[in-house]
Amino acid sequence: MAARPVSRMLWRVLRTSTRSCSSGAPMTDPSPGESSQPAPKELSRRRQFLREHAAPFSAFLTDSFGRQHSYLRISLTEKCNLRCQYCMPEEGVPLTPKADLLTTEEVLALARLFVKEGVDKIRLTGGEPLIRPDVVDIVAKLHQLEGLRTIGVTTNGVNLARLLPQLQKAGLSAINISLDTLVPAKFEFIVRRRGFHKVMEGIHKAIELGYNPVKVNCVVMRGLNEDELLDFVALTEGLPLDVRFIEYMPFDGNKWNFKKMVSYKEMLDTVQQQWPELEKLPEEESSTAKAFKIPGFRGRISFITSMSEHFCGCNRLRITADGNLKVCLFGNSEVSLRDHLRMGASEEELLRIIGAAVGRKKRQHAGMFNISQMKNRPMILIELPSMHRDSPPAIPSISSWDSLCVQNLRPGVGFSNQMLTLWKGCGVPQAPFLAQPWLGSVFLQRHYNSLLDSATNPKCLSSGSQASATPSGPLPPSDKLTHVDTEGRASMVDVGGKPDTERVAVASAVVLLGPVAFQLVQQNQLKKGDALVVAQLAGVQAAKLTSQLIPLCHNVALSHVQVQLELDSTRHAVMIRASCRARGPTGVEMEALTSAAVAALTMYDMCKAVSRDIVLEEIKLISKTGGQRGDFHRT
């Protein structure tokens, strides 16, 4: 196979690189026997003290199945300094207001409480934790907590080389670096930022400073990077890395597709075909990874079987950046420690709340198909190593990822941007699930979350209340047409008395071009020009002109319109998705539907000279959020 020589070349480049780190010194491995880990004698004394004075483990952190939760992950921020194509729009997403995030003092207060009860490992996550200005100070203060053995960080590596010397001095003892590709051009295309060399520099700096192993997290996604599996493995031949291959996991908004998941057994089989001498290493009961080593290799590889096989002996808890405790990554139940902390709860009261949450933890998470339908916050609002970024839909027209192919990609044809609209209700940020059944392979559920209309339902008004009282309680969609008056004649709805709310709608359409027209569109050889770009612009323009095309529609001031077109070579089709956003008294469903429909019609117009056997189908509303009638999500 060609993978091994390429891998050795990559390893050689990594190992012999003379590019300077932030310190200005060449990147070299530490001499045998040398270690620049923080104060090894001090750490040894602390561990000996802990062994001799070990206290019974806290009942508050022990669940009903006897699992002792000694590992805490704390998200320091929801922000990230990358803009992955399949994770968020280029301009970013609305995040939790700063006032609702944990302060440094609150982070340390909670950490102190958990360590006192038996937590001996804390990992700092994000978003990207190393963009938090006081991250070094946080690590230093965590290092002072008696009983804490390990302080780790999970990072995308962009800022690591610059900050690691300070972090190590402060007490950082473990590093996980997220890296999904070893191809610089692919890296830049995926994240919309330069920085591949900075991530590699961060890996080198960690090795240079004596971290062993340096863990590299790589989520494997079919159609994106599964062809690099052997290249990642080969890096462990000469470098003290633990490359951790992670099965792609579903989270709210990431368009999870079973077909894109590469299972642990498939990955293992691929590696064993190249290295049949691969040996399995013993694992701890609470380990989430299955570890292997190739004899003679300096590092090792691991598989995190989050989807195909349960690892629910896990001993970890999570605190989100806004202060919510999650006892299971895949669970959708949370409890706000921030609110109780700010209301002046004592340590005893906080422990009772924590103990109750831990006591409700289930034996294991749901199966992969149930998880894909479960409502959960987007991963960036829990923690975001690369293993949890959104997966791109496959683009069959791209057969390889060499640099030439990446350079030839045209704007508007690439991976979908994932638009996340965050809603604020009762002080807890939530994310509406923007359903996207691309290629009919996403497992979703229909949700209705309607509110009573106080103008037509007097039962929701108490005696003496005003008509403007806040409605409450569920109500199915209306069974009456709203665009007719009392005499049955067409009439525009009066929305003058409705409150302004944030409205989002998503619609889709499919254009079946046939093989000849599809190939011309794919190669951008139509005489009329770039059909995809023209259709995209037509969709945007149509959304803004909807009220002029649909007689009874209101004129809506749109704050955002996004039209995405993707090629599906298996159907010779163009998949169209239009999303519209506005703040006002009426929804934007018609704007999204008009946008998708006109984009589809434009594709027909651009291609009709080649073939009139073109079919427009599946023009439909995918989701809508906002308004008194509640949210809608199509299955």
Side-chain angles (χ1 to χ4, degrees):
M1 300 175 75
R4 199 165 185 177
V6 171
S7 302
R8 285 181 173 173
M9 180 181 69
L10 286 168
W11 173 77
R12 197 178 303 118
V13 170
L14 282 169
R15 192 171 185 272
T16 60
S17 171
T18 58
R19 183 178 64 252
S20 296
C21 305
S22 57
S23 63
M27 298 181 191
T28 57
D29 291 354
S31 302
E34 276 188 20
S35 174
S36 47
Q37 289 276 22
K41 292 183 179 179
E42 177 194 344
L43 288 176
S44 178
R45 285 196 298 269
R46 289 181 66 184
R47 286 171 182 151
Q48 181 64 29
F49 176 85
L50 290 171
R51 280 193 294 269
E52 294 174 357
H53 298 82
F57 196 83
S58 170
F60 294 107
L61 301 186
T62 304
D63 66 17
S64 58
F65 304 100
R67 292 173 295 200
Q68 297 179 341
H69 295 76
S70 58
Y71 179 5
L72 179 65
R73 300 173 72 97
I74 303 176
S75 174
L76 294 184
T77 179
E78 296 174 352
K79 295 180 181 179
C80 186
N81 51 355
L82 299 181
R83 290 290 179 269
C84 298
Q85 292 270 4
Y86 50 84
C87 180
M88 66 171 77
E90 189 168 7
E91 67 274 14
V93 297
L95 299 174
T96 304
K98 184 177 180 180
D100 294 336
L101 299 176
L102 290 177
T103 65
T104 300
E105 292 72 22
E106 289 169 338
V107 168
L108 294 172
L110 290 174
R112 193 177 300 112
L113 178 61
F114 276 89
V115 171
K116 187 186 295 185
E117 292 301 308
V119 163
D120 60 10
K121 179 178 181 179
I122 289 180
R123 178 169 295 278
L124 303 176
T125 67
E128 170 48 45
L130 297 191
I131 66 175
R132 179 152 173 160
D134 59 350
V135 62
V136 175
D137 187 49
I138 290 174
V139 171
K141 289 178 178 175
L142 289 176
H143 185 59
Q144 296 172 7
L145 298 180
E146 194 68 54
L148 187 59
R149 301 170 188 261
T150 304
I151 305 172
V153 68
T154 294
T155 172
N156 61 30
V158 174
N159 292 339
L160 185 61
R162 176 173 59 87
L163 291 174
L164 190 53
Q166 302 171 59
L167 289 167
Q168 186 184 65
K169 186 177 180 181
L172 187 72
S173 52
I175 301 172
N176 284 43
I177 303 169
S178 299
L179 181 65
D180 295 332
T181 178
L182 296 172
V183 181
K186 191 196 298 188
F187 178 92
E188 188 171 330
F189 174 72
I190 291 173
V191 306
R192 293 196 187 98
R193 298 288 187 272
R194 295 179 180 177
F196 178 79
H197 70 282
K198 289 186 177 180
V199 179
M200 289 302 177
E201 187 178 358
I203 293 173
H204 272 292
K205 177 60 74 173
I207 294 172
E208 175 189 330
L209 294 178
Y211 288 91
N212 188 357
V214 176
K215 294 183 178 180
V216 176
N217 291 344
C218 175
V219 66
V220 181
M221 294 168 279
R222 198 179 307 281
L224 181 65
N225 63 349
E226 85 276 18
D227 59 327
E228 298 185 58
L229 198 70
L230 298 181
D231 292 335
F232 272 101
V233 175
L235 290 178
T236 67
E237 182 174 2
L239 297 173
L241 302 177
D242 180 359
V243 178
R244 294 145 56 91
F245 297 113
I246 304 161
E247 293 177 336
Y248 171 54
M249 298 180 291
F251 278 90
D252 207 352
N254 75 350
K255 299 170 286 186
W256 185 76
N257 184 338
F258 172 69
K259 295 179 181 178
K260 295 183 180 70
M261 189 197 82
V262 183
S263 72
Y264 149 63
K265 290 184 178 178
E266 182 180 345
M267 289 188 277
L268 181 61
D269 182 62
T270 300
V271 176
Q272 285 181 322
Q273 287 184 39
Q274 180 71 20
W275 289 284
E277 67 273 27
L278 186 70
E279 297 176 354
K280 192 172 190 312
L281 300 176
E283 59 189 69
E284 297 178 5
E285 184 179 354
S286 61
S287 175
T288 60
K290 294 176 171 61
F292 293 80
K293 187 175 180 64
I294 299 170
F297 278 32
R298 190 174 173 190
R300 68 180 191 177
I301 63 173
S302 304
F303 299 92
I304 298 181
T305 61
S306 44
M307 299 308 298
S308 64
E309 296 184 16
H310 292 298
F311 50 73
C312 292
C314 86
N315 64 338
R316 60 200 62 193
L317 302 171
R318 288 172 169 81
I319 297 177
T320 61
D322 57 350
N324 279 13
L325 175 67
K326 288 180 70 75
V327 298
C328 178
L329 179 63
F330 293 102
N332 53 12
S333 61
E334 303 178 4
V335 59
S336 176
L337 300 181
R338 177 204 65 200
D339 291 349
H340 291 284
L341 203 58
R342 293 181 181 180
M343 288 188 293
S346 65
E347 284 193 359
E348 291 75 14
E349 291 169 328
L350 286 171
L351 285 175
R352 282 198 295 270
I353 294 164
I354 293 166
V358 172
R360 291 192 297 269
K361 185 172 181 177
K362 298 178 181 178
R363 178 181 290 275
Q364 62 185 29
H365 67 65
M368 68 176 75
F369 295 107
N370 289 329
I371 290 175
S372 70
Q373 301 179 65
M374 184 184 299
K375 191 68 180 169
N376 199 354
R377 64 164 71 196
M379 197 58 216
I380 193 170
L381 302 186
I382 304 173
E383 54 185 58
L384 188 66
S386 89
M387 63 178 282
H388 298 125
R389 296 178 188 152
D390 298 343
S391 170
I395 302 182
S397 61
I398 301 176
S399 58
S400 66
W401 275 102
D402 55 46
S403 59
L404 181 63
C405 178
V406 172
Q407 291 167 1
N408 288 336
L409 290 175
R410 290 181 288 129
V413 191
F415 295 155
S416 296
N417 293 334
Q418 175 63 38
M419 184 180 71
L420 299 176
T421 306
L422 302 183
W423 293 85
K424 199 78 167 56
C426 302
V428 180
Q430 301 177 18
F433 198 62
L434 300 183
Q436 182 181 1
W438 285 114
L439 311 183
S441 58
V442 179
F443 306 93
L444 301 172
Q445 291 178 319
R446 183 188 301 268
H447 297 284
Y448 288 98
N449 184 22
S450 303
L451 297 176
L452 288 173
D453 185 341
S454 61
T456 57
N457 293 275
K459 290 182 180 179
C460 73
L461 303 177
S462 61
S463 176
S465 64
Q466 300 298 315
S468 61
T470 303
S472 62
L475 179 70
S478 173
D479 58 355
K480 297 180 181 179
L481 295 175
T482 57
H483 285 76
V484 294
D485 60 17
T486 55
E487 297 180 3
R489 293 174 298 194
S491 173
M492 179 181 277
V493 175
D494 184 359
V495 297
K498 289 187 174 182
D500 286 355
T501 60
E502 193 79 10
R503 315 283 187 130
V504 178
V506 182
S508 68
V510 177
V511 183
L512 302 178
L513 294 174
V516 177
F518 180 87
Q519 185 175 9
L520 292 174
V521 170
Q522 185 181 43
Q523 297 174 357
N524 194 17
Q525 293 182 354
L526 288 173
K527 291 183 178 180
K528 281 192 173 184
D530 191 329
L532 295 170
V533 170
V534 174
Q536 184 183 43
L537 293 175
V540 173
Q541 187 70 6
K544 296 188 288 186
L545 296 175
T546 299
S547 64
Q548 299 177 38
L549 302 172
I550 311 297
L552 299 182
C553 275
H554 294 83
N555 184 21
V556 177
L558 295 169
S559 58
H560 184 69
V561 179
Q562 185 176 51
V563 181
Q564 303 162 322
L565 295 95
E566 296 180 5
L567 299 177
D568 177 9
S569 61
T570 60
R571 301 173 65 186
H572 298 123
V574 179
M575 319 295 292
I576 300 170
R577 175 184 171 93
S579 59
C580 297
R581 182 171 71 236
R583 184 171 185 83
T586 187
V588 288
E589 298 99 305
M590 291 307 303
E591 283 72 11
L593 285 164
T594 302
S595 176
V598 171
L601 286 168
T602 303
M603 285 300 306
Y604 183 97
D605 180 63
M606 295 291 289
C607 300
K608 68 179 187 292
V610 178
S611 170
R612 283 184 167 79
D613 187 20
I614 298 173
V615 178
L616 278 58
E617 61 180 21
E618 299 182 33
I619 298 174
K620 58 190 176 185
L621 181 69
I622 298 300
S623 67
K624 77 98 176 175
T625 59
Q628 291 180 331
R629 286 283 166 189
D631 298 352
F632 166 82
H633 301 286
R634 184 178 297 277
T635 54

